[in-house]
Amino acid sequence: MEPSVCRRTVKVDLELGLHLGPDSQIGKAARQYASCELRIVKEDVSVDAKNVLELMTLNAPQGTELVLEATGENAADALDEL
């Protein structure tokens, strides 16, 4: 049986958008879920939520819509954490 994918759409509400500080916090939270694959999607770009350098490539200013995707154990909990 193929694992299901949990998705959630969010909007960046930080005045300065995503930058090193928030990206580091996201990466740290995502790495707590070792058995779960976590990705963040902006339009046609998908990055590993556990990788801060990849997160920085999103260029997500305030108001940007992102899709959070989680696959694996505790996927829904992981999305809640992010």
Side-chain angles (χ1 to χ4, degrees):
M1 184 165 98
E2 192 171 314
S4 62
V5 177
C6 294
R7 287 186 181 86
R8 187 169 301 157
T9 301
V10 298
K11 188 176 281 193
V12 177
D13 65 354
L14 300 169
E15 185 177 340
L16 298 176
L18 291 186
H19 52 86
L20 182 57
D23 288 342
S24 295
Q25 292 175 339
I26 291 167
K28 182 178 179 181
R31 286 188 296 277
Q32 293 178 33
Y33 295 88
S35 62
C36 191
E37 180 181 354
L38 295 163
R39 304 208 54 86
I40 299 180
V41 181
K42 177 189 167 199
E43 298 168 359
D44 61 345
V45 177
S46 175
V47 300
D48 180 353
K50 298 177 184 180
N51 186 317
V52 176
L53 293 177
E54 285 188 28
L55 288 167
M56 291 177 65
T57 67
L58 281 177
N59 185 25
Q62 184 179 33
T64 302
E65 282 196 2
L66 302 173
V67 177
L68 310 179
E69 295 182 343
T71 307
E73 288 184 42
N74 302 318
D77 292 337
L79 289 185
D80 289 341
E81 180 73 26
L82 293 184

